[in-house]
């Protein structure tokens, strides 16, 4: 939840101010942890991006209940499907687009 809220904050701030360099508290925590361990701020940004991509992949790959699932005593394995199968096309497009931006920002940080 913290990563999602931080992404909303950073993107909203960038849209509001017309800038591209907003940093939320979660990203700043990653940067602080990187500096504490003797690395540069860029490594904190890379770690933040990798964690963001990992959480995105987990959300798509996790199992969720099918809409028509019912149970007598407990749900069985066939009552679950992967998250991406229940997502809308617009939702998957938005997820892929945001992941693309994250990959691009990781690539930019690696160049530094």
């Amino acid at each position: 939840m913290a990563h999602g809220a931080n992404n909303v904050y950073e993107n909203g701030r960038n849209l509001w101010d017309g800038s591209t360099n907003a940093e939320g508290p979660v990203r700043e925590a990653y940067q602080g942890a990187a500096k504490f361990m003797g690395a540069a701020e860029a490594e904190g940004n890379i770690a933040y991006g990798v964690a963001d991509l990992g959480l995105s992949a987990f959300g798509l790959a996790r199992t969720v209940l099918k809409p028509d699932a019912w149970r007598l005593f407990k749900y069985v394995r066939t009552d679950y499907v992967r998250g991406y199968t229940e997502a809308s096309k617009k939702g998957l497009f938005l997820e892929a687009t945001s992941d693309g931006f994250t990959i691009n920002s990781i690539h930019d940080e690696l160049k530094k």
Side-chain angles (χ1 to χ4, degrees), residues 9-68:
Y9 169 77
E10 288 180 357
N11 292 324
R13 179 92 185 244
N14 286 336
L15 288 171
W16 186 266
D17 294 343
S19 63
T20 60
N21 59 354
E23 293 181 349
V26 177
R27 183 182 300 270
E28 290 174 353
Y30 274 85
Q31 293 169 347
K35 287 180 184 177
F36 180 76
M37 293 188 287
E41 198 173 90
E43 277 82 2
N45 290 333
I46 292 168
Y48 177 84
V50 169
D52 198 33
L53 289 174
L55 290 169
S56 176
F58 172 76
L60 292 173
R62 71 186 177 102
T63 55
V64 295
L65 279 174
K66 289 192 281 189
D68 60 346

Side-chain angles (χ1 to χ4, degrees), residues 67-110:
D68 60 346
W70 65 276
R71 67 183 176 130
L72 185 56
F73 296 107
K74 68 176 195 167
Y75 293 111
V76 294
R77 178 175 279 235
T78 57
D79 291 332
Y80 294 93
V81 294
R82 295 286 171 193
Y84 68 89
T85 61
E86 291 299 312
S88 68
K89 289 181 181 180
K90 289 179 184 178
L92 286 175
F93 177 76
L94 181 63
E95 189 72 28
T97 303
S98 64
D99 288 347
F101 285 124
T102 302
I103 291 169
N104 188 37
S105 70
I106 291 171
H107 184 262
D108 291 345
E109 290 293 333
L110 287 171

